[in-house]
Amino acid sequence: MSQTVSPMVRKLTMPRPSKHYQPVHRDNSGPLSESIDASADNRLPARAIHVARNEELTSSIPVRGVARDNRDILDVRLGEWTGCITTKEATPRPQVTPEVSKRGRRRILIQKYMFQISIVTANGLGIFATWWFPHYWYLLMPFISAGVMMNIAMIITLLVNLLYRRCYPEKPLIPQTPESLVLLVPCYNETKDEMERSLNSLVIQKGISDHRRCIMIICDGRARGYGMEKTTGEYLFEDILTQKDYRVRIPKAYLAWDQQFMDVEVQRGTYHGVSYFCIIKQQNQGKRDSLIAVRSFLYNYNIRHTNPETIFTPTFFGHMASFIKESGIDYIDNLIGMDADTVFDDHCISELLRRSRFEDTVGSVVTRKVSCLPGCCQLLRICEETCGREVLLKRFGYCPVPTDGVLRHVRATASEDRNHVCHMLSARPRAQTRQALHAVAYTDVPQSWSVFLSQRRRWTLGATSNDLFLSCAPGVQWFERILACTNVMTWFLNVFIFASMARFIMAMFYVDAWIIFCFIAIASIPIVYYAIIPLWHSKQWHEAFRFWIGCLIYIFCGPFVNIAILLYSCHYLDSFGWGKTRLVVSDDKRDVNGQATEQTPLLQRI
């Protein structure tokens, strides 16, 4: 579970430059006039590009910061990757006409209203039965106590596993050479301060000095948040990543998840001694598209000797592959994922690595649920189970069409990392994920009620829709399936369960005392477990007290907040954007100096 703190200013100790990094020397770092228009109108439909007759000649791409002699060197380096891959053909998508869009919107509205009626009916009937037939309370106990019983079952299994591992310790698989790491930072409209804090927390990591590593940054379009003078991409290129080897704009660089070629602008260099590769997408396609692009590249880089069919053009693949190769990485072992508004603890990555060194483990996570890989702090092993074509492109990479239902739209736009691992658990049942409880990350919490509700709407709809997927998907482990069904039922009957608790308090006056005592004792087991967590997890007492205070607030206020989130989520069930969590500012209303004004309208993220 990520801990939340207010933004901090930390003194940054710069690491020494990596001995594996070989910079491209440059004689000219001045600006270059734009010669390629990457507007939406010029975005071309996808088509297959054969390496042998690729029209995108490397020498025709404008490069910033590279002299002509070194430009020839760059061409030679890119030429080494010619023939390693082929570019896949685009999957035909249904033609979207105004009539199709209207029909799809009508279908979503109908499903939304049916869902709302179902929730009102189910909770209403449950509340009526509880209050009208109080003497048959035991018939409703399975619905009321399902969540508590599942928590108790998980606590018991954890304790049994703890005792078993004390007697038969699990031996980690220590590699002969330290694992190679790619540190991925996806971003959208984060501020300069947020980006610098996240990047600085990566370069000062302790315990990984022997690991070959590099940073990849991918920015989803050119968006500017409220109060920002520049877009996140402009902050990166102009203010943060000032040590660059070159910058290049690549048209039709890769096949986005909507089956259109995406134009990108890339820059390569070093950030406080660690090599980086920054990608600025020219169109906003969402975080999922960014994750697919980078994860797919890392996997295909590892299998490049098999001449794989990829979503990348040879030019773009060559730029990324030469960067990875010249960073001293011939094979990528692990991907470290974070969000751009997240700060890693100094030992976060080393703890993730420690928990990943076990058989069949493909991910280490900071979480309290088995079925969730949070994007803000994760380790993914680059392999077929996590980044192969079946899981990453065919399942996780499905782009919904207007006629798809509500659930498909929700899964495609909310809880991207959770949806990825749910597909993995279904397609690759042998794959395992592990908790890394001592890998700590920090993030900023919402500062207003409206932003909080908007954030939790995405989280609760994403989590519930993915749990519904696990309830029915083939290949899912049986306990995971039961847990998912329980989560869906508990969420669906939230109001009824809350009302039942009130009725239970009233039942104390006419139900035998021993029955009430047994129920309270059983229901208290998860609370006792919560209370003792800091005894083995917290390093300082003030952290334990802060946890206990938060736990009390959750116990007494959580039911009310959960109902508020449920009602808010049901009302905005057909809203698939980021809502108020990530607002952006349009560029059509600025002052004479080109700065944003307070009257600049806010646009929701697509």
Side-chain angles (χ1 to χ4, degrees):
M1 180 183 297
S2 299
Q3 301 181 15
T4 58
V5 297
S6 58
M8 300 181 297
V9 178
R10 305 177 62 186
K11 184 177 180 182
L12 180 62
T13 304
M14 306 307 174
R16 290 182 293 179
S18 173
K19 63 182 180 179
H20 303 288
Y21 181 68
Q22 303 175 8
V24 178
H25 300 287
R26 61 186 187 277
D27 298 325
N28 176 26
S29 59
L32 179 72
S33 59
E34 301 292 342
S35 60
I36 297 179
D37 184 7
S39 63
D41 295 336
N42 287 342
R43 205 164 168 218
L44 302 180
R47 58 188 177 85
I49 295 181
H50 195 276
V51 176
R53 55 177 184 274
N54 180 18
E55 298 90 351
E56 298 178 44
L57 298 178
T58 305
S59 59
S60 66
I61 299 176
V63 179
R64 301 183 182 187
V66 181
R68 183 174 297 276
D69 293 341
N70 290 321
R71 172 60 186 278
D72 296 335
I73 298 176
L74 179 61
D75 289 347
V76 172
R77 290 176 176 176
L78 295 180
E80 296 176 0
W81 303 97
T82 302
C84 287
I85 63 165
T86 57
T87 306
K88 71 180 292 289
E89 289 192 41
T91 303
R93 289 177 60 82
Q95 184 178 3
V96 180
T97 62
E99 291 76 13
V100 172
S101 299
K102 185 177 181 179
R103 186 169 64 252
R105 180 62 182 168
R106 188 187 305 114
R107 179 184 182 186
I108 289 175
L109 285 175
I110 292 174
Q111 292 181 352
K112 171 186 173 180
Y113 296 143
M114 291 178 61
F115 182 80
Q116 292 174 343
I117 293 173
S118 300
I119 281 192
V120 172
T121 303
N123 285 275
L125 290 176
I127 294 173
F128 172 79
T130 302
W131 287 79
W132 193 260
F133 305 104
H135 297 288
Y136 297 95
W137 56 271
Y138 51 86
L139 297 178
L140 302 175
M141 284 300 296
F143 302 98
I144 300 173
S145 60
V148 175
M149 298 308 297
M150 288 304 302
N151 287 334
I152 294 175
M154 287 188 287
I155 292 172
I156 293 175
T157 56
L158 287 173
L159 294 176
V160 171
N161 182 73
L162 176 64
L163 295 176
Y164 179 80
R165 290 305 176 191
R166 288 291 178 88
C167 299
Y168 304 97
E170 191 175 11
K171 296 182 180 180
L173 304 176
I174 305 299
Q176 295 182 352
T177 58
E179 302 95 329
S180 57
L181 308 174
V182 172
L183 316 180
L184 173 61
V185 185
C187 55
Y188 173 56
N189 69 336
E190 285 75 13
T191 64
K192 177 176 178 290
D193 184 56
E194 287 177 327
M195 292 300 305
E196 286 183 328
R197 291 206 314 269
S198 299
L199 292 173
N200 290 345
S201 71
L202 291 179
V203 299
I204 65 173
Q205 287 292 301
K206 298 178 181 178
I208 60 172
S209 57
D210 294 334
H211 295 263
R212 295 162 293 169
R213 63 192 185 278
C214 61
I215 299 175
M216 293 192 73
I217 308 165
I218 181 164
C219 185
D220 185 29
R222 296 183 176 273
R224 182 169 54 85
Y226 189 73
M228 296 170 55
E229 297 180 354
K230 302 178 181 179
T231 66
T232 301
E234 291 171 341
Y235 278 132
L236 287 169
F237 280 168
E238 300 173 9
D239 302 317
I240 301 175
L241 307 176
T242 55
Q243 292 180 306
K244 70 174 184 291
D245 297 328
Y246 67 83
R247 187 188 305 171
V248 56
R249 176 168 291 190
I250 307 175
K252 299 181 295 181
Y254 75 95
L255 194 62
W257 75 321
D258 66 345
Q259 302 303 306
Q260 297 284 326
F261 273 115
M262 175 71 71
D263 299 338
V264 301
E265 189 170 2
V266 303
Q267 178 173 302
R268 169 180 165 176
T270 57
Y271 182 79
H272 298 317
V274 180
S275 57
Y276 73 82
F277 190 86
C278 182
I279 306 168
I280 306 297
K281 296 158 56 179
Q282 301 303 298
Q283 301 294 328
N284 169 226
Q285 281 294 319
K287 179 183 176 183
R288 181 178 298 241
D289 176 75
S290 301
L291 297 179
I292 292 172
V294 176
R295 293 173 181 176
S296 178
F297 160 72
L298 299 180
Y299 175 71
N300 285 287
Y301 176 83
N302 285 348
I303 63 170
R304 60 191 181 277
H305 302 296
T306 64
N307 191 32
E309 183 184 60
T310 73
I311 61 175
F312 309 99
T313 58
T315 300
F316 186 39
F317 186 88
H319 277 280
M320 293 189 291
S322 62
F323 160 74
I324 296 293
K325 187 72 173 181
E326 292 172 21
S327 296
I329 301 176
D330 186 66
Y331 185 90
I332 304 166
D333 293 309
N334 297 319
L335 167 69
I336 305 295
M338 73 180 308
D339 285 342
D341 57 355
T342 303
V343 176
F344 277 4
D345 181 76
D346 292 350
H347 296 277
C348 181
I349 295 180
S350 61
E351 287 293 334
L352 289 172
L353 286 169
R354 185 177 65 85
R355 293 297 296 160
S356 69
R357 292 166 179 165
F358 295 94
E359 187 177 2
D360 294 331
T361 301
V362 298
S364 294
V365 302
V366 180
T367 180
R368 292 293 186 269
K369 287 189 176 181
V370 179
S371 61
C372 177
L373 274 177
C376 65
C377 183
Q378 68 174 184
L379 179 149
L380 282 179
R381 184 171 295 170
I382 304 301
C383 56
E384 171 66 25
E385 287 80 0
T386 60
C387 302
R389 188 182 188 89
E390 174 66 24
V391 173
L392 190 65
L393 297 182
K394 291 186 178 180
R395 300 190 181 209
F396 181 66
Y398 174 79
C399 183
V401 296
T403 53
D404 283 332
V406 170
L407 288 177
R408 282 214 171 191
H409 281 284
V410 170
R411 292 186 189 126
T413 56
S415 301
E416 296 89 355
D417 296 278
R418 184 187 182 96
N419 185 246
H420 183 192
V421 75
C422 287
H423 284 299
M424 182 194 71
L425 292 175
S426 174
R428 303 289 185 264
R430 280 183 52 85
Q432 298 181 6
T433 63
R434 291 176 181 264
Q435 294 179 345
L437 298 179
H438 296 285
V440 180
Y442 305 88
T443 187
D444 296 326
V445 299
Q447 300 298 316
S448 67
W449 181 248
S450 60
V451 175
F452 172 80
L453 286 176
S454 180
Q455 179 195 70
R456 295 311 167 100
R457 173 188 63 82
R458 295 186 68 252
W459 288 5
T460 188
L461 291 179
T464 305
S465 62
N466 283 301
D467 280 334
L468 189 59
F469 168 79
L470 290 176
S471 302
C472 309
V476 178
Q477 197 258 357
W478 65 270
F479 186 80
E480 185 71 29
R481 193 184 302 276
I482 296 175
L483 177 61
C485 293
T486 304
N487 290 338
V488 173
M489 184 188 66
T490 303
W491 183 85
F492 196 83
L493 300 176
N494 213 321
V495 179
F496 160 63
I497 294 173
F498 178 78
S500 299
M501 292 297 101
R503 185 60 182 172
F504 172 77
I505 296 175
M506 296 182 61
M508 294 180 180
F509 296 101
Y510 56 84
V511 177
D512 293 340
W514 69 272
I515 297 178
I516 300 297
F517 177 79
C518 292
F519 184 82
I520 293 177
I522 294 174
S524 300
I525 294 177
I527 299 177
V528 174
Y529 178 78
Y530 298 154
I532 64 176
I533 285 177
L535 299 182
W536 71 77
H537 185 59
S538 297
K539 299 179 181 179
Q540 298 178 349
W541 278 108
H542 72 86
E543 292 183 352
F545 283 113
R546 186 169 59 186
F547 176 87
W548 285 327
I549 294 174
C551 188
L552 289 175
I553 295 174
Y554 171 76
I555 291 173
F556 291 103
C557 300
F560 300 96
V561 176
N562 288 337
I563 292 177
I565 294 173
L566 174 64
L567 298 177
Y568 185 88
S569 301
C570 292
H571 180 69
Y572 292 101
L573 184 63
D574 57 338
S575 176
F576 307 122
W578 279 59
K580 297 180 181 180
T581 307
R582 278 290 174 187
L583 292 173
V584 299
V585 182
S586 66
D587 295 325
D588 55 346
K589 290 186 180 181
R590 298 195 178 201
D591 58 23
V592 293
N593 298 320
Q595 302 300 321
T597 64
E598 294 299 325
Q599 291 76 33
T600 302
L602 298 180
L603 304 177
Q604 294 184 0
R605 183 176 183 178
I606 298 174

